[in-house]
Amino acid sequence: MRLALRGGNPLERAALRANLVPAPAAEAWGGLAVSGVLVAAVRTGIVARLASAPGSAAQIAADLGLAPTPTRLLLECLVSTGHVKQAHDGSLRLARRNRRWLDPDSEVGVARFVNACGDYFDWWRDLDRLVVAGAPVEHHDRPPDDPYWRRYILGQLDLARLTAPEVARRLTLRPGAGHVLDVGGGHGWYAATLCRARPGLTATVLDLPGSARIGREVIAAAGLSHLVSFTEGDARQRDFPAGQDVVLCFNLLHHLTETEIPTLLRRAHAALEPGGTLAILDAFAEPRQTRTDPAATHLALFVRLTSGSTLYTPDQLATWLHTAGFTPPRRIRSARIPGLALYQAGKRW
Ligand SMILES: C[S@@+](CC[C@H](N)C(=O)[O-])C[C@H]1O[C@@H](n2cnc3c(N)ncnc32)[C@H](O)[C@@H]1O
């Protein structure tokens, strides 16, 4: 996936190709600007307002009690990026392409993830501190009642809703599997979707208190508390409850260090019944790819910035799994899950 500066017309494209444009200046300025506009449009309620009905900039500002001129300017930015369309009479509406992603009522909406991205501004600002001193943000160390957890976990829920049905469909579980442990499961949506797809399954999510608190609310609001329960704890420090048929470990490894992961995998192995399944969903470094992927390299740096960790390679994962007592992992490919890889391994002994 490219994170690219593109010309808007043939002349601009030619100027870019001829290296007449100071691309680094445009990239340093423009990336933040596009992100800031989207985050503010969600946080101020402009996106939700546009999703409910079209309106002029003045109407939208009045309805939401916002400052008229900045609201108009922000809406003009959204029109310029194609997120919003303007009719001849000046009324504004969410562009059809973006409605499915930004409408709060859309089942695949990601507005809450956009909202969560607002937390990243401060972190990127301090990137030079990481590079100088090596000190990450450690965002999981916040107190459990910090409002950050809600933004974080609801943002992750938006992404999980996109992929959970396919993940639930593609995982192979042994017949009669009854219990799932979702380590670092946060919102619990992956576990809930799996349980709904396979009658007879129930799940426990093990997560830090700040995440578990939000996850409980998410699952209760969906009426799924009979399928998914939560237990609070640090997966690096405690054993996992025994008797599991399935252990999920989704988007957690990239928050952990090379010494923490083998221990966690040994715990997962100990918790599983014979023949049980471990499933791992995560972003991985792909050193064998000839072309470097800008989205992946930036994600690797982001992970270092936020958790002091990194993206690991599939080979590292295979070695850790082998040492912990799992069968060689089977990679489940999916075009619907860009940037993420789903692996499944069985308990070997
Ligand atoms: C990126 S989110 C992924 C949430 C969910 N598994 C998903 O894939 O959408 C990472 C989750 O791991 C949890 N987590 C991070 N460090 C943890 C730890 N040491 N013990 C337990 N959970 C942890 C976070 O609280 C968060 O819920």
Side-chain angles (χ1 to χ4, degrees):
M1 196 80 75
R2 313 248 127 218
L3 305 168
L5 176 67
R6 285 181 310 184
N9 56 46
L11 190 63
E12 288 174 358
R13 283 191 284 277
L16 274 170
R17 267 199 309 276
N19 202 19
L20 298 175
V21 176
E27 286 155 352
W29 184 85
L32 267 177
V34 172
S35 178
V37 164
L38 275 171
V39 169
V42 168
R43 288 191 171 182
T44 53
I46 287 176
V47 159
R49 167 64 184 76
L50 283 169
S52 69
S56 67
Q59 269 169 349
I60 290 165
D63 288 357
L64 298 173
L66 303 174
T69 302
T71 301
R72 176 178 56 76
L73 293 170
L74 188 135
L75 282 160
E76 284 172 9
C77 290
L78 291 169
V79 171
S80 74
T81 49
H83 293 97
V84 168
K85 292 285 178 208
Q86 186 158 30
H88 292 305
D89 65 1
S91 75
L92 300 154
R93 59 170 175 77
L94 274 186
R96 200 169 305 136
R97 281 181 69 79
N98 280 289
R99 182 166 276 279
R100 66 191 305 243
W101 305 123
L102 290 175
D103 186 333
D105 290 335
S106 165
E107 284 189 3
V108 292
V110 292
R112 291 175 299 186
F113 180 74
V114 173
N115 177 37
C117 288
D119 286 298
Y120 303 164
F121 298 148
D122 288 350
W123 304 354
W124 283 118
R125 184 199 59 207
D126 291 341
L127 178 61
D128 51 351
R129 263 203 348 226
L130 171 81
V131 176
V132 171
V137 172
E138 298 294 6
H139 66 125
H140 290 120
D141 290 352
R142 298 191 183 205
D145 57 353
D146 190 316
Y148 166 72
W149 291 102
R150 180 175 303 280
R151 296 191 296 274
Y152 172 38
I153 293 304
L154 294 184
Q156 293 297 312
L157 170 63
D158 274 0
L159 301 186
R161 291 190 314 171
L162 302 175
T163 48
E166 175 161 21
V167 169
R169 225 176 18 253
R170 304 281 301 266
L171 286 178
T172 316
L173 309 188
R174 74 188 166 95
H179 202 264
V180 184
L181 177 68
D182 187 359
V183 184
H187 39 72
W189 203 251
Y190 281 111
T193 308
L194 191 58
C195 291
R196 280 205 290 192
R198 320 279 175 116
L201 265 189
T202 56
T204 303
V205 173
L206 166 66
D207 207 311
L208 301 170
S211 289
R213 193 165 58 91
I214 307 302
R216 264 188 215 103
E217 285 179 26
V218 167
I219 293 300
L224 297 171
S225 303
H226 61 293
L227 292 180
V228 181
S229 58
F230 288 77
T231 180
E232 297 176 6
D234 187 329
R236 295 168 301 185
Q237 286 167 10
R238 55 171 281 184
D239 285 342
F240 302 157
Q244 308 298 331
D245 299 296
V246 187
V247 173
L248 307 181
C249 188
F250 288 2
N251 296 304
L252 175 62
L253 296 190
H254 68 255
H255 292 301
L256 304 179
T257 65
E258 281 181 53
T259 45
E260 290 165 346
I261 292 173
T263 311
L264 182 133
L265 295 178
R266 270 199 302 279
R267 290 197 176 117
H269 185 270
L272 279 167
E273 292 288 306
T277 299
L278 171 69
I280 290 176
L281 178 73
D282 219 307
F284 287 90
E286 304 284 356
R288 291 187 203 135
Q289 278 177 6
T290 44
R291 270 194 22 202
T292 314
D293 178 327
T297 54
H298 285 68
L299 180 60
L301 176 64
F302 185 66
V303 161
R304 186 76 194 186
L305 174 65
T306 56
S307 297
S309 180
T310 191
L311 299 188
Y312 300 103
T313 65
D315 287 348
Q316 280 175 297
L317 177 68
T319 305
W320 290 326
L321 286 172
H322 178 79
T323 309
F326 288 98
T327 57
R330 178 170 71 91
R331 182 169 181 158
I332 302 171
R333 294 191 181 275
S334 166
R336 278 175 183 264
I337 313 180
L340 292 180
L342 177 62
Y343 286 95
Q344 166 163 4
K347 178 164 173 157
R348 202 173 60 229
W349 61 71

